[in-house]
């Protein structure tokens, strides 16, 4: 059991330390909003895509064998989405709260917290598998987010003209999300990496020059530490503890229910070892920061979204540690 606890601490503590550093530096005025915005753009547009690209092309993992993991991830996401939709329909009155609640339950922060924790746990092998998982499930996340936020916004309208406007708005957002997915640097980098890997294996192309791989390695090394520092710097303690009953319910869904569903579904798909670990850590991550952006853009309850984001960003890391220790002790990851 001690070995399992040390494993859990080793994969979560580095993330907590870097997030605390970001929070501390922001509190002391050593970094501000301008730096956070610019650094986040650097990570999202350049460093993280570079990390994903080189993780895939340098990996010896057989990606064809990841279908069970992808199937388990898709099933887990759909179960959480449908379950949250049913709960919202039965127990949540205000339409602007429903989509935000549903997002808070099913949508996790895979690109930063999830990927960093998987890298801490399994190194380059886990990072490669996690990159593939993230690329596929991110597409599903965006589609489901548009569905739930659009439908609940429409449900708040009573007159036909207003409904027509909301329908038009939904279509415009659907087009916007489709455009964003096509131009998403993370998705582009993964697509290019898979294409390169297939062509390289088919034509026996030589390896990339050392200067390219070394430059890529340096840029990749920026991504996860800088992303975690920025995540810590954006934490709002007042929002984190300003929880309504609804935000706490959504947080419980994200921190407790989602990981349990992942474990059950992963077991059903026969996942063990690194595959079960990747599924659990990706699903058990806090709610994605994009959930707040989308809620605000699509007339959802942005205050509720901010509270869920702040609370789960910190608390879920402890849940991830406890879950990882338990699964490790049982020999499941």
């Amino acid at each position: 059991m001690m070995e399992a606890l040390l494993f859990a601490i080793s994969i979560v503590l580095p993330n907590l330390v870097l997030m605390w550093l970001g929070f501390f530096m922001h509190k002391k005025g050593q970094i501000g909003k301008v730096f956070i915005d610019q650094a986040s753009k650097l990570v999202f547009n350049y460093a993280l895509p570079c990390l994903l690209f080189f993780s895939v092309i340098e990996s010896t993992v057989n990606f064809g064998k990841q279908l069970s993991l992808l199937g388990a991830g898709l099933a887990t996401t759909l179960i959480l989405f449908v379950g949250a939709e049913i709960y919202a329909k039965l127990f949540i009155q205000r339409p602007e709260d429903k989509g935000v609640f549903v997002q808070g339950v099913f949508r996790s922060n895979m690109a930063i917290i999830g990927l960093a924790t998987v890298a801490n746990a399994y190194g380059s092998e886990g990072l490669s598998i996690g990159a593939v998982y993230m690329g596929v499930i991110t597409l599903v996340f965006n589609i489901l987010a548009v569905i739930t936020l659009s439908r609940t916004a429409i449900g708040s309208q009573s007159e036909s003209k207003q409904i027509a406007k909301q329908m038009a708005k939904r279509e415009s957002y659907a087009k916007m999300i489709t455009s964003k997915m096509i131009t998403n640097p993370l998705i582009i980098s993964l697509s290019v990496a898979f294409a390169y890997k297939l062509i390289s294996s088919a034509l026996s192309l030589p390896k990339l020059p050392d200067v390219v791989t070394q430059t890529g390695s340096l840029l990749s090394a920026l991504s996860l530490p800088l992303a975690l520092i920025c995540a810590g710097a954006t934490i709002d303690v007042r929002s984190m503890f300003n929880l309504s009953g609804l935000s706490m319910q959504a947080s419980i869904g994200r921190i407790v229910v989602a990981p349990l569903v992942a474990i059950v579904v992963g077991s059903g798909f026969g996942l063990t070892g690194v595959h079960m670990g990747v599924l659990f850590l990706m699903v058990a991550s806090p709610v994605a920061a994009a959930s707040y952006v989308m809620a605000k853009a699509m007339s959802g309850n942005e205050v509720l979204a901010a509270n869920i984001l702040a609370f789960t960003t910190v608390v879920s890391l402890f849940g991830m540690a406890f879950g990882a220790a338990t699964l490790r002790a049982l020999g499941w990851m």
Side-chain angles (χ1 to χ4, degrees), residues 42-272:
L42 169 62
V43 169
F44 183 75
N45 290 305
Y46 302 103
L48 190 53
C50 188
L51 173 66
L52 297 178
F53 176 81
F54 284 99
S55 295
V56 170
I57 68 169
E58 295 176 356
S59 173
T60 57
V61 172
N62 185 340
F63 294 111
K65 295 182 179 179
Q66 311 309 316
L67 294 179
S68 294
L69 171 61
L70 295 174
L74 179 60
T76 299
T77 302
L78 292 176
I79 289 171
L80 291 171
F81 175 78
V82 173
E85 282 283 352
I86 293 172
Y87 185 94
K89 183 176 182 179
L90 294 175
F91 300 107
I92 300 175
Q93 299 297 322
R94 299 202 314 163
E96 59 268 32
D97 293 341
K98 291 182 179 181
V100 175
F101 171 86
V102 173
Q103 257 205 134
V105 173
F106 82 82
R107 190 170 190 173
S108 61
N109 190 335
M110 298 184 294
I112 299 175
I113 307 297
L115 209 57
T117 311
V118 166
N120 292 340
Y122 299 109
S124 58
E125 179 189 8
L127 193 59
S128 300
I129 295 172
V132 177
Y133 178 94
M134 188 197 75
V136 174
I137 303 300
T138 294
L139 293 173
V140 180
F141 278 179
N142 281 286
I143 293 169
L144 295 180
V146 170
I147 291 172
T148 190
L149 289 169
S150 298
R151 186 169 60 219
T152 52
I154 290 170
S156 66
Q157 307 297 321
S158 58
E159 298 180 7
S160 58
K161 289 184 178 180
Q162 292 174 319
I163 293 176
K165 288 180 180 180
Q166 287 296 329
M167 288 293 289
K169 189 176 183 180
R170 180 177 68 174
E171 291 177 3
S172 68
Y173 276 120
K175 290 179 181 178
M176 179 190 71
I177 294 302
T178 301
S179 174
K180 283 184 176 294
M181 286 191 290
I182 294 173
T183 59
N184 187 301
L186 308 184
I187 295 172
I188 291 173
S189 68
L190 286 169
S191 301
V192 172
F194 284 125
Y196 176 84
K197 199 169 181 67
L198 287 172
I199 295 172
S200 178
S201 60
L203 302 179
S204 300
L205 296 178
K207 290 184 177 181
L208 292 174
D210 288 343
V211 65
V212 174
T213 56
Q214 289 173 4
T215 303
S217 177
L218 290 172
L219 186 56
S220 299
L222 282 175
S223 57
L224 297 179
L226 188 56
L228 289 168
I229 289 171
C230 290
T234 58
I235 290 175
D236 187 336
V237 176
R238 286 179 296 180
S239 294
M240 188 173 75
F241 292 106
N242 186 25
L243 292 174
S244 65
L246 191 54
S247 58
M248 179 56 76
Q249 291 169 47
S251 297
I252 291 172
R254 173 99 301 273
I255 296 169
V256 179
V257 177
L260 290 176
V261 171
I263 293 171
V264 172
V265 172
S267 299
F269 274 78
L271 300 184
T272 57

Side-chain angles (χ1 to χ4, degrees), residues 289-303:
S291 64
Y292 169 79
V293 176
M294 285 194 67
K296 186 173 183 179
M298 300 183 72
S299 304
N301 186 340
E302 61 185 85
V303 176

Side-chain angles (χ1 to χ4, degrees), residues 276-330:
M276 175 63 90
V278 169
L279 177 66
F280 172 78
L281 294 173
M282 286 295 200
V283 174
S285 297
V287 69
S291 64
Y292 169 79
V293 176
M294 285 194 67
K296 186 173 183 179
M298 300 183 72
S299 304
N301 186 340
E302 61 185 85
V303 176
L304 175 62
N307 289 344
I308 298 169
L309 175 61
F311 187 78
T312 59
T313 296
V314 175
V315 178
S316 67
L317 290 173
F318 297 98
M320 292 170 76
F322 175 79
T326 303
L327 292 175
R328 185 78 166 188
L330 293 172

